[in-house]
């Protein structure tokens, strides 16, 4: 099932979202061009919410904190820019989905140019009451993660199987000489989807991309094709919609609160993932961002000293409410700089940052921001 959604350049310079006790304004980040149309969020009177969402967005896509750049906010992802540290990214536009009042769901039209050019859409989802990431693993009860993922995997395989059967039927009905081009296309499609089924990886719930609309959660499964055979992939990305009504028995208390405004004591999710934290390492003020976690408990976090605002990536694990991260040198050649060991407990992260060379320990205390 192809996700047919066209995002025009600068379709709307401003969108207003009215939520509970807060107004959200979404504009294009300056400077705007056909190649760089990127959302910037403002919220009032709770300005912190917009601040957090902009940090999440710009750190992930533009590789810097808001306002921290030399000439342009796109310099680290622009072609031929001296600040570029990898491939080139283009941002052709964005749309805001029509969602329940507590939800912000953005679709980004992006293109990456590295070894080859690849266009794709990404989806960003936030709780508009907190500015935190809105994670599908938070809104679905943990004991229902596996069954929902299995349901989606089954639906995808059923769609591939049906298309494969129809394509084989079509192939048998055409002439391989007079309709050679179509004949070859059918053969390529059969090979593509047979390989896709034979090598099918069972996604877990956290593996799916997703976005929210007014009455549905859409779970997305990546396409079967690679860049080289993308042209024959008629199924492309799989978009599986689930109505909130059908999901109601699977929703966590937090999920019901986000989508239906049912009463809850604390509408922050129970896990630290998808959140931002502020606190100190030793005597130095720091900010931490924990975007997501993999099913093997591995994750990458970003933190920075508030005085310098230079993002530092750390790779590690989160298991049994315990964090373990390794901080490498920025050039990846100078080796290990430090180790973070900390525990998560009721909205607080406490632990130590250990200097690898001197073994000196600096206390870490972080609170949910």
């Amino acid at each position: 099932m192809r996700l047919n959604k066209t995002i025009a350049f600068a379709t709307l310079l401003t969108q207003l979202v009215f939520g509970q006790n807060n107004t959200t304004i979404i504009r294009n980040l300056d400077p705007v061009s056909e190649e760089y149309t990127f959302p910037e969020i403002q919220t009032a009177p709770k300005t912190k919410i917009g601040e957090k969402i902009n940090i999440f967005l710009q750190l992930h896509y533009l590789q810097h904190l808001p306002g921290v750049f030399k000439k342009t906010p796109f310099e680290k992802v622009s072609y031929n820019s001296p600040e570029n540290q990898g491939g080139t990214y283009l941002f052709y536009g964005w749309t805001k989905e029509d969602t329940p009042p507590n939800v912000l769901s953005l679709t980004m039209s992006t293109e990456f140019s590295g070894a080859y050019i690849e266009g794709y859409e990404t989806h960003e989802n936030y709780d508009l009451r907190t500015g935190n990431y809105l994670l599908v693993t938070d809104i679905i009860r943990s004991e229902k993660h596996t069954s929902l993922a299995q349901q989606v995997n089954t639906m995808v395989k059923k769609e591939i199987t049906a298309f494969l059967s129809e394509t084989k039927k079509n192939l048998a009905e055409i002439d391989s000489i007079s309709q050679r081009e179509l004949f070859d296309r059918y053969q390529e499609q059969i090979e593509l989807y047979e390989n896709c089924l034979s090598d099918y990886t069972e996604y877990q719930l956290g593996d799916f991309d997703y976005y929210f609309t007014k009455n549905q959660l859409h779970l997305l499964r990546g396409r079967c094709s690679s860049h080289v055979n993308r042209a024959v992939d008629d199924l492309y990305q799989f978009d599986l919609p689930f109505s909130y009504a059908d999901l109601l028995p699977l929703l966590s208390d937090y999920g019901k609160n986000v989508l239906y405004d049912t009463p809850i004591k604390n509408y922050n999710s129970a896990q630290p993932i998808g959140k931002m934290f502020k606190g100190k390492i030793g005597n130095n003020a720091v900010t931490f961002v924990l975007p997501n976690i993999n099913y093997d408990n591995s994750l990458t976090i970003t933190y920075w000293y508030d005085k310098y605002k230079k993002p530092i990536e750390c790779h590690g694990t989160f298991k049994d409410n315990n964090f373990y991260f390794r901080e490498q040198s920025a050039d990846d050649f100078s080796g290990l700089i430090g180790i973070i060991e900390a525990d998560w407990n009721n909205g607080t992260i406490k632990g130590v940052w250990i200097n690898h060379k001197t073994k000196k320990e600096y206390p870490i205390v972080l609170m949910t921001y």
Side-chain angles (χ1 to χ4, degrees):
M1 186 180 299
R2 184 186 292 271
L3 181 60
N4 289 318
K5 190 177 293 183
T6 301
I7 305 179
F9 158 62
T11 303
L12 287 176
L13 288 178
T14 304
Q15 287 197 16
L16 289 172
V17 184
F18 297 97
Q20 291 185 343
N21 305 317
N22 216 38
T23 300
T24 302
I25 301 174
I26 311 175
R27 294 191 174 97
N28 290 322
L29 180 66
D30 288 329
V32 184
S33 68
E34 289 188 13
E35 295 181 336
Y36 292 103
T37 304
F38 192 90
E40 183 178 39
I41 317 299
Q42 296 178 2
T43 54
K46 300 175 183 177
T47 58
K48 183 175 82 171
I49 294 171
E51 172 200 342
K52 288 173 63 176
I53 295 174
N54 287 327
I55 289 174
F56 284 131
L57 283 170
Q58 294 187 35
L59 195 61
H60 176 64
Y61 289 98
L62 306 184
Q63 302 173 20
H64 62 73
L65 298 175
V68 185
F69 50 83
K70 293 181 179 179
K71 293 183 178 180
T72 166
F74 306 107
E75 61 193 17
K76 289 193 174 181
V77 295
S78 298
Y79 178 71
N80 271 347
S81 168
E83 304 300 321
N84 189 309
Q85 300 176 352
T88 299
Y89 289 88
L90 303 177
F91 303 98
Y92 290 118
W94 53 270
T95 56
K96 188 198 78 66
E97 304 292 344
D98 184 19
T99 61
N102 296 329
V103 178
L104 175 63
S105 192
L106 297 172
T107 298
M108 314 272 289
S109 180
T110 307
E111 183 178 279
F112 174 76
S113 178
Y116 49 81
I117 298 174
E118 182 84 13
Y120 55 94
E121 290 181 349
T122 58
H123 304 274
E124 298 292 327
N125 306 285
Y126 301 95
D127 185 331
L128 272 176
R129 301 164 302 175
T130 62
N132 293 332
Y133 277 112
L134 183 53
L135 303 179
V136 68
T137 49
D138 271 345
I139 68 167
I140 302 297
R141 286 162 34 206
S142 58
E143 67 271 21
K144 297 296 183 180
H145 286 187
T146 300
S147 60
L148 180 56
Q150 287 175 342
Q151 183 179 352
V152 177
N153 285 316
T154 299
M155 293 167 70
V156 171
K157 287 189 283 188
K158 184 177 180 181
E159 188 171 342
I160 296 172
T161 301
F163 186 90
L164 192 55
S165 176
E166 183 67 21
T167 304
K168 288 179 178 179
K169 178 183 176 183
N170 292 338
L171 179 66
E173 294 175 350
I174 67 171
D175 182 73
S176 62
I177 298 176
S178 62
Q179 296 175 286
R180 188 68 196 184
E181 185 175 336
L182 185 58
F183 183 86
D184 289 343
R185 180 180 179 85
Y186 285 154
Q187 283 193 318
E188 288 182 59
Q189 287 182 323
I190 290 170
E191 181 182 10
L192 169 65
Y193 295 122
E194 283 183 340
N195 289 339
C196 191
L197 285 176
S198 64
D199 297 332
Y200 190 89
T201 300
E202 295 284 335
Y203 274 23
Q204 299 189 61
L205 187 59
D207 296 329
F208 294 102
D209 198 3
Y210 57 96
Y211 64 96
F212 296 84
T213 57
K214 190 69 175 179
N215 299 302
Q216 293 178 322
L217 167 68
H218 292 249
L219 294 175
L220 306 174
R221 165 85 193 205
R223 67 180 195 253
C224 289
S225 59
S226 64
H227 179 74
V228 295
N229 54 3
R230 185 178 178 181
V232 299
D233 189 357
D234 286 351
L235 293 179
Y236 203 64
Q237 187 180 52
F238 301 89
D239 185 334
L240 291 309
F242 292 83
S243 72
Y244 300 143
D246 288 341
L247 287 175
L248 188 57
L250 311 183
L251 293 178
S252 64
D253 289 343
Y254 172 69
K256 293 174 185 176
N257 176 253
V258 170
L259 299 175
Y260 288 103
D261 265 331
T262 57
I264 192 173
K265 288 183 178 180
N266 182 359
Y267 51 64
N268 271 310
S269 64
Q271 61 173 326
I273 309 305
K275 295 184 176 64
M276 188 177 300
F277 295 84
K278 283 188 174 290
K280 288 186 176 183
I281 296 179
N283 295 319
N284 299 302
V286 292
T287 303
F288 276 62
V289 170
L290 282 65
N292 210 339
I293 188 170
N294 303 312
Y295 267 94
D296 63 357
N297 298 312
S298 66
L299 72 161
T300 298
I301 66 164
T302 303
Y303 84 92
W304 57 92
Y305 292 91
D306 293 348
K307 181 178 179 179
Y308 302 107
K309 300 186 185 304
K310 184 176 181 179
I312 301 167
E313 277 195 355
C314 299
H315 305 281
T317 59
F318 175 63
K319 187 176 182 181
D320 299 328
N321 289 329
N322 176 258
F323 290 103
Y324 177 86
F325 294 107
R326 295 168 63 88
E327 180 181 330
Q328 300 288 140
S329 63
D331 58 17
D332 286 331
F333 296 110
S334 303
L336 183 64
I337 292 178
I339 291 174
I340 294 174
E341 295 181 353
D343 295 315
W344 158 258
N345 183 24
N346 195 29
T348 304
I349 296 175
K350 291 184 178 181
V352 292
W353 186 95
I354 306 169
N355 186 300
H356 177 64
K357 184 178 291 186
T358 66
K359 309 304 179 186
K360 185 174 180 179
E361 297 185 359
Y362 299 84
I364 295 177
V365 179
L366 305 170
M367 301 292 293
T368 306
Y369 180 62

